[in-house]
Structures are given as structure tokens and as C-alpha cells.
Amino acid sequence: MGRKLLLDKIHIPGIQSYEVYRQNGGYTAVEKALKNYSPDQIVEEVKKSGLRGRGGAGFPTGMKWSFLAKPPGVPRYLLCNADESEPGTFKDRYLMEHIPHLLIEGMIISSYALGANTSYIYIRGEYFYVSRILEKAIAEAYQHGWLGKNILGTDYSLDLYVQVGAGAYICGEETALIESLEGKRGNPRIKPPFPAVAGLWGCPTVVNNVETISAVVPIINIGGEEYAKIGIGKSTGTKLISASGHINKPGVYEIELGLPVEEFIYSDEYCGGIRNGKKLKAVVAGGSSVPILPAELILKTAKGEPRLMSYESLADGGFQTGTMLGSGGFIVMDEDTSVVENLYTFTRFYHHESCGQCSPCREGTGWMEKILKKFIDGTATMSDVDLLWDIQSKIDGRTICPLGDAASWPVASAIRHFRHEFEEAVRNKGIKKVNYYNKRWGLVEV
Amino acid sequence: MSAQIHGVLPFDKEKRKQIKFSDDALQTIENIKKRYPEGKQKSALIPVLHIAQAENDGWLSPEVMDYVAELLNISPIEVFEVASFYTMFNLKPVGKCVLEVCRTSSCWLNGANEIVAYIEKKLGIKEGETTPDGMFTLKTVECLGSCGTAPMMQCGASYHENLTFEKIDAIIEKYRKENKRRNYTDLDWENTK
Ligand SMILES: Cc1cc2nc3c(=O)[nH]c(=O)nc-3n(C[C@H](O)[C@H](O)[C@H](O)COP(=O)(O)O)c2cc1C
Ligand code: SF4
Ligand code: FES
């Protein structure tokens, strides 16, 4: 059994409520932080822990915090990114719904470390009911003196609010999130200036993912050094993985970074193997944006070493033979799956979610969606494969925000590893129809 | 005032005059405005539009957008810019229950296409359409963060997960019987796991 730091208490009945959370050691990290540490010491502790951003990019959190500009007399803001819209990712929802006080505790400590006196949790609009759960937990925290003026009798004060979005993946991008919180369209900003210098209302701002902020709680509880002992190399600590697709046990799992991918997919503690006794075909390991890998490359690196669930091991081989840990959205496909049709759902998604500011992204994602539809309808030609490749290569790296890259990588990797499937779709004039509903519920001999 | 949004849908001055939110809604809006520093009340726009939509039968008419502009002391075009950007805001009337079926990868891998086809047949409408009695609108949407419990759909504040045809029958029957509008802002969400 791997060590659990975020989900260790999730199965305690009533842990959603303040009383039960508190009885089980909740808010001790806030006490410790506000009484024993200066804000800078907390930043140091987080640096020591080696914690890396859990929102997708994996940037070291302590370092990010130390970049925050601190001009005198200007407010600073901490924004929690609860937009969670990367297809395949549902861990933040799980945390916020089942143990909301963990995030609130993390927000208090992190806001204190950054010197923020007002903080916001920006949550995707579709999670409206989760925002209600958070609001209730925040009200409880105010009631018990963990939020508001002079917390624990110190001179530190904090107000915490939940802000709901209204359906836009792009608002997960940190500058789009800030625009949205300012009451505007979610158009990402051109950087620099970075939010650390000019973010919300032009003030220095840090944006962190729900899981990142939650992880600050165990870091303070056990100490940064102890946290850094968990995991492997520069992938320290634990990570929540959202597992979905054709597996026996989909769900959210907390793993120690460094767990072998093979164990994650096949052991009963985690995914429990492929559904219906089928063979593994491919995995998208870190949310829709990361390169898809065929079975042989997700289980072992090109060098033949076992692939591990860590930032470094998943990226081993670069984009030629590797992928990324990303947000930890782990989508598993069995042998009957059409990689081309799966890609179509991703590309349609990116086209739908492009904010439209950059022509390569706005137009390119639409072209790619149309061409992929031709493969499904059976009207594609062999030259369409090269055309797809060409379009994606002209989006990658040529846009304001990384959504453009995120739209091109799945296309590039699908062609790189599964070119034969595109060609088959051309030759067979379409893609073999599979009834995924019947497969899901085991209704027919599959 | 608000000439910019007249072109989108006909703007009815009489209707505009009649718009008035409930006291409850107006009070909530006042509380939301207090979350931001002085002068930054535009930040309330998205939360307020959610309330406005719930107050206006599930959609944002030009008249309602104009009213929201006045509430937040911003121009109507600023409201329209935002309302037209975010997918959860309806700029046209919708049924009382909007069934939003996710069809992105993990849901597709678990039968989203079959679910959409089943609902289309059952309700006799196509994706994007509303039943003649105004009860149901069927929409397809992108990943809603419920991929591990696919296939799934959202209706108002509720998440319906691990969908089967039988579950859909039960949900539709219940909604039909209750005959009430379901909004994202509802406090009585009932998720089916
Ligand atoms: C298109 C796009 C969507 C994103 N969506 C999310 C998201 O839903 N949640 C999230 O935490 N980060 C998301 N990110 C990453 C954020 O921009 C940002 O890097 C992150 O919130 C930083 O937090 P972290 O350092 O704690 O990971 C997204 C980035 C892009 C480009
Ligand atoms: S890359 Fe796409 S989503 Fe990002 S700013 Fe440009 S158009 Fe918008
Ligand atoms: S793919 Fe449907 S909820 Fe994520």
C-alpha cells in the first residue's frame, strides 16, 4: 500500500463536515503554520518538499511563490484553480466534494505564506453543486475563527470566496482565469507581464491548482523534508490520478510518484486491469493534451526500462517515444478502440474550447476536426494524413497560450504511433462501428 | 442605450420595463458584489448572469442582459460579450430540463454516442432541439469531470453518472412528473452515482 497524504481520511464518515474533519486532526496545520512559522519559512518548507504544480505543468510550487512581487501597499492575491476541464481529469472535484476543508486549510496556509488577505477559489460553473459544498465549509471555517479577522489571535486576516465560472476550458489557463474573474471573456493574456507581477486587477497574483494547495497541508504537518522522501527523484510526494476508460476500477487514486505504470493498470489496488479481459491498446496518461502512447511504450520506455508514474519517467524519450504526467488524467483504451475516433473527440473539444484569439488555433483546430470527421465518415484520402500532420505542426508553438500546443500534440502523437489506423480508415472507407454502451455494461459477448 | 445588443435578438422596451428579479435574487447579488474591492464590481458579472438566467426561465434575453448591465453599472455590450463566450449561458429559450450529455473521450469510450441516440429516440428530438411541450432540451457537451463514472449527463445542478438506459427512463419520468425548471443554481441537486 502506498502512502496516502490527501485521501488518507476520505473514507471517514462525515469528513465533509467541520466537526469530523477537526476531530481527525483537521486545521492543525493552520495552527502550526500561523504560530510557528513566518510566511517566508512556509515558502522555504514548500521549496524543501519539492512539490510541483499539480495542474498540469509541474512547475515547482515553492519557486513560483518566491517569484511573487511584493510592492509595498499593493494587495496580493492567491487564486485556486478549480476549473478542472482537461478531459480525463476529475480528481479536484473528488477532493472538493468529499473533503472540502482540506482545500480551505491549504488556502489559509498558502495565503498566509504569500501575504494575501483576500483569496478566491475559481471553480468551473458545471461544478455548481461543489461550489455550494465549498461555501458551506467556508462558512463553518469563518464560524470557528479560521477565516476572517485576526485568525488565532494573530495579526493575519483572510477572506476567502468561491467564484463560479460558466463553461469554458480555457479559463483553466491562469491568465484567462484572471480575466474571467474580472468579469470578462476568458481570453488568455500575452505574457509578460506574468501574474506574479501583474495579475488580478493588475496586482501580484499566484494561481495554483486545487491539489497543489491541498498538498501544502500534509507538507506543513509532516515537514517539507519528510514529504520530499516520498516519491522518486524530482517527482516528490503523492499524486492523484483520475483513471478512466476501459478498466475494471475507474476512479481517483492517490499514488506515490514512482509507482510502475504496469502495477497501476493491472493491480487490484488501482485500475484492476482491462475490462472484459481485453488487451491494452493505448493510454493517454496525463489528460487529453498529452501524447497518446501505445501499450508497449506506456508499460516500458524505448530503452526497455519499466515506465513509472513520475514526471521524468513518463517524459522519457521526449515526444518521440514518451509523454507527460500532465494533470494525471489517465485514460485507458482496449484493443477494440479506434485511436482515430478517440482523437476526433479530443480535436472537436479543442476546437470548441479555443478562445479564438490566435488564427492558428482558431482555424487549425476546426480544420483538424473536419478532416478527422472524414476518416470516420469514410471520405478521407491518404493525403489527409499528411495534411493533418502539417496543420498540427503549424499550430504548435505559434499561439498566445498553450491550448494551441495542447491541441496539436494529441494529433501528432496519434499519427506518430498509429499512422496505420488512419490509413486503414482510408482503405476501409470508415471506421468499424463498436457499441461502446454494450461493452460498458457487458451486455453482449464482447 | 444598449443599441449594440438590439441586433442579436429583437429588443422589446416593454419587456425590459417589466423585468424585475425576486428580492431573494437581488439580495444575493448585493452580497456577491461585496466579494470584490471597491470599483471592481464587474467581477460579479458571471455569478450574476447565472442568477439572471435562473430568474428568466433558463435563458438570457437581450432585455435581461440590459437589466444586468444596469445592476452592475456596466454597459450592455460588456454583458453580451461575456454571455456569448461561456457555454452555460443560453441566448435562446430552452426547455425546463436541459439534458447535457458529455461525449468526450472517456464518455465516448463508455457509450456516450449510444446514450445520445437513445435520448433522441425516446424524446423524438435531435441534439440541440427542444420537445414541443417545452419540457426537455437535449445538448451534447464536452468533458464535465465525471470521466470515471462515464457515461454521464448533467441537468441543472445535478450530475447523473454511470448512465444506463433504465436510469435515463427513470430520470425523464421523474422530471416529467415534477414538471419544474432545473437551474444550475438550484440548491436541491440530486446526483445519481
Ligand atoms: C488551456 C489550459 C487549461 C488549463 N486548465 C487547468 C485547470 O483546469 N486546472 C489547473 O489547475 N490548471 C490548468 N491549467 C494550468 C494553469 O495555467 C496553471 O499552470 C496552473 O493552474 C498552475 O497551478 P499549479 O502550479 O499548482 O499546477 C491549464 C492550462 C492551459 C493552457
Ligand atoms: S492558443 Fe487558442 S485558446 Fe490560447 S489564446 Fe490562442 S486562440 Fe485562445
Ligand atoms: S469525458 Fe465525459 S465527463 Fe470527462
Side-chain angles (χ1 to χ4, degrees), chain B:
Chain B
M1 181 166 157
S2 74
Q4 297 93 328
I5 59 178
H6 293 180
V8 181
L9 285 172
F11 183 90
D12 186 329
K13 284 190 181 145
E14 278 314 305
K15 261 194 209 153
R16 168 67 179 84
K17 272 188 218 149
Q18 285 155 21
I19 290 178
K20 170 117 180 62
F21 290 175
S22 64
D23 290 344
D24 218 29
L26 290 172
Q27 188 54 52
T28 311
I29 291 171
E30 281 315 303
N31 292 342
I32 291 173
K33 280 156 80 176
K34 290 187 200 131
R35 296 174 184 168
Y36 319 101
E38 207 35 56
K40 308 294 181 199
Q41 271 55 46
K42 184 176 173 180
S43 285
L45 182 52
I46 290 173
V48 169
L49 283 176
H50 278 297
I51 295 170
Q53 184 160 280
E55 290 278 310
N56 191 60
D57 290 339
W59 72 294
L60 297 171
S61 64
E63 295 82 15
V64 162
M65 288 190 264
D66 196 78
Y67 180 77
V68 167
E70 191 180 295
L71 285 178
L72 294 178
N73 199 20
I74 56 181
S75 67
I77 191 67
E78 289 175 274
V79 178
F80 180 65
E81 264 180 4
V82 165
S84 58
F85 184 85
Y86 296 90
T87 52
M88 290 171 75
F89 296 134
N90 300 312
L91 299 182
K92 294 207 174 104
V94 290
K96 284 184 179 161
C97 299
V98 183
L99 307 178
E100 302 184 272
V101 184
C102 170
R103 54 172 183 170
T104 318
S105 173
S106 307
C107 283
W108 166 73
L109 288 168
N110 283 298
N113 286 359
E114 291 80 9
I115 295 282
V116 172
Y118 181 80
I119 300 177
E120 284 184 338
K121 193 160 167 229
K122 184 172 173 78
L123 295 179
I125 51 172
K126 290 275 170 221
E127 165 197 342
E129 294 177 351
T130 301
T131 52
D133 61 357
M135 194 61 219
F136 294 102
T137 298
L138 175 63
K139 262 192 180 179
T140 55
V141 294
E142 304 294 350
C143 182
L144 293 178
S146 182
C147 332
T149 43
M152 68 82 61
M153 69 176 179
Q154 173 165 28
C155 181
S158 304
Y159 266 49
H160 300 294
E161 306 169 47
N162 288 311
L163 283 181
T164 59
F165 296 157
E166 293 74 30
K167 250 188 185 174
I168 291 171
D169 289 345
I171 292 164
I172 287 179
E173 191 181 334
K174 177 173 148 67
Y175 284 1
R176 221 180 237 135
K177 212 180 272 161
E178 290 176 2
N179 189 24
K180 68 171 187 187
R181 183 166 294 285
R182 296 191 185 251
N183 298 305
Y184 297 121
T185 49
D186 289 346
L187 291 170
D188 58 344
W189 68 88
E190 292 172 322
N191 295 354
T192 37
K193 293 279 175 189

Side-chain angles (χ1 to χ4, degrees), chain A residues 199-220:
Chain A
L200 182 63
W201 303 308
C203 301
T205 302
V206 166
V207 182
N208 273 130
N209 173 258
V210 171
E211 184 188 349
T212 312
I213 291 171
S214 302
V216 172
V217 175
I219 288 170
I220 295 304

Side-chain angles (χ1 to χ4, degrees), chain A residues 170 186-188 353-359 361-362 395 399-405:
Chain A
I170 192 59
N187 289 340
E353 301 300 335
S354 166
C355 84
Q357 285 191 105
C358 324
S359 325
C361 171
R362 182 188 61 238
I395 302 174
T399 55
I400 293 175
C401 94
L403 187 141
D405 310 339

